[in-house]
Every structure is written in C-alpha cells, then in structure tokens.
Amino acid sequence: MVKADMAELTVEVVTKADNPAKAKAGSDKAVSDFLARLAKSGIAREDIHSANLNLQPEYLYDPETRTNKEIGYRASRQVVVTLRALDKLNDLLDSALQQGINRIHQINFKSSKEQEMIEQARLMAIKDAKQKAAALAEGFGERLDGVWEIRYQAQGPVRPMVYKMSAAARGDIAESYQEAQTSISDRVEVIYRLK
C-alpha cells in the first residue's frame, strides 16, 4: 500500500436544447468556463483532456401514432483532470459544479511514485518466486538448476482504496478527500529446471 498524493477525476456536462447547435453551445460553454477556472487555479494544460463531444437527438414515443417524435438534442462532453495536489480536490469539484459541469463520474486516487512502486513490487515478486522455488525443491530433495521459462504479464491498473479520515467526521469536507491509498502488486511465473 502506498499513500495517494494525486487524483484523476472524470467529470461531464450534459446539456439539452431544441436544436443541435444550441445543445453543443451549452456544453462547450460549460467546458470552456471550467477549463478557464482550471488554468486560473494552476492546473497544467497537459493534465487536462477535454477533446470530445457526443451529440444525439432525443425522441419521445407517441403511443397513439406508434412513432418516435424528435423532441430535441442532447450534447455531452467529458473532461479528465489529473490533480497533483489532493488538498485542492474539493475546491476543484466545487468549481466544476459552479461552471456548469453536472456529472462527476469517478475519482481515481493515484501516487506520483506509481512506476517506482510497480518496479519494487516486481522485484519483490521475483525474490518471492526464487525463495518459494528453492524451498519447494529442497522439500522434495532436489536442487534448482536455473530458470527454464519466465512468464510475465503486466498487471492491470493500480487499484485505489479510499479511507475516511477522522477530519471528515468533524465536518472538514476538504480533508475527507485526502486520505486514500493505492494497492500496487505485480506477479511473475517462473519454471525452474532441476539438477
């Protein structure tokens, strides 16, 4: 386990209007306002991803005519932000809502030391494999004669685990987003030759 010191959050704005141009304009304005607020608060442009648009008509089924009638359009855009200062997470969420963002999809807590920790986990997995193989061989009265095959598959994304802080119980909302840990693991499969 390693304490998280950053977060990646995905937020979205969904707007509805009677024509596609208005729906898109509403979505674009909310995202533009949010991006301006992010820049003002010091979030680097490379930590923001917002180049998407989903625009689709909306229909209402009329049971009398058994047809779908177009009633407007829905536009949505997602923004993914990497936040490198967890103490600003609550402010960022409040800012998103103030700028018209109306959906918060997920918050993934991460560590800036993730690659280093993955490498440490891999080295620990290798050491563990060596120790277990030697102990098993010894238990059967055998000795190892080198590695026959190594199988390695990169592990999936790091799994975040969130823990509430005591500050959250006292009502300090900003602090309640800070105590998070991520679980980092790695796995290696090794087949040894016996002497």
Side-chain angles (χ1 to χ4, degrees):
M1 295 282 195
V2 61
K3 186 173 179 178
D5 60 0
M6 55 192 287
E8 181 180 88
L9 60 142
T10 304
V11 297
E12 181 180 25
V13 59
V14 177
T15 57
K16 297 179 182 182
D18 57 2
N19 68 60
K22 285 182 184 176
K24 178 185 177 298
S27 179
D28 288 347
K29 175 159 180 19
V31 169
S32 178
D33 290 348
F34 183 49
L35 294 179
R37 189 85 171 253
L38 290 174
K40 195 174 184 180
S41 66
I43 306 292
R45 185 65 188 111
E46 60 268 14
D47 288 337
I48 305 166
H49 303 282
S50 63
N52 59 52
L53 172 67
N54 183 358
L55 184 64
Q56 58 192 22
E58 288 198 314
Y59 297 95
L60 181 63
Y61 180 72
D62 184 350
E64 289 183 19
T65 63
R66 295 184 181 173
T67 59
N68 286 326
K69 178 183 176 187
E70 188 176 289
I71 59 168
Y73 285 82
R74 171 187 157 136
S76 63
R77 285 187 66 186
Q78 283 192 356
V79 180
V80 179
V81 180
T82 299
L83 183 63
R84 299 184 187 278
L86 272 186
D87 61 336
K88 295 184 179 180
L89 179 57
N90 190 54
D91 292 340
L92 181 72
L93 293 171
D94 288 346
S95 176
L97 297 172
Q98 290 166 3
Q99 301 308 314
I101 302 296
N102 51 19
R103 294 188 182 179
I104 298 171
H105 284 289
Q106 62 187 15
I107 301 170
N108 292 326
F109 292 95
K110 297 182 169 197
S111 170
S112 59
K113 298 176 184 175
E114 189 172 298
Q115 287 307 316
E116 176 186 329
M117 300 305 284
I118 289 171
E119 182 62 28
Q120 284 182 16
R122 183 177 306 118
L123 293 173
M124 290 170 67
I126 292 167
K127 182 179 177 182
D128 184 59
K130 287 178 181 178
Q131 289 173 343
K132 284 181 179 168
L136 287 168
E138 184 180 329
F140 286 101
E142 300 287 340
R143 289 183 22 219
L144 298 179
D145 187 31
V147 174
W148 175 262
E149 182 180 353
I150 299 172
R151 295 181 194 151
Y152 178 76
Q153 289 184 331
Q155 300 300 302
V158 174
R159 191 177 70 229
M161 295 184 179
V162 181
Y163 296 90
K164 290 184 179 179
M165 291 179 68
S166 58
R170 294 190 312 261
D172 190 344
I173 300 301
E175 291 291 318
S176 70
Y177 290 103
Q178 293 182 42
E179 187 61 34
Q181 293 183 346
T182 57
S183 174
I184 296 174
S185 64
D186 211 347
R187 178 180 171 170
V188 63
E189 293 179 17
V190 183
I191 299 174
Y192 285 90
R193 289 189 299 268
L194 297 176
K195 287 187 177 181

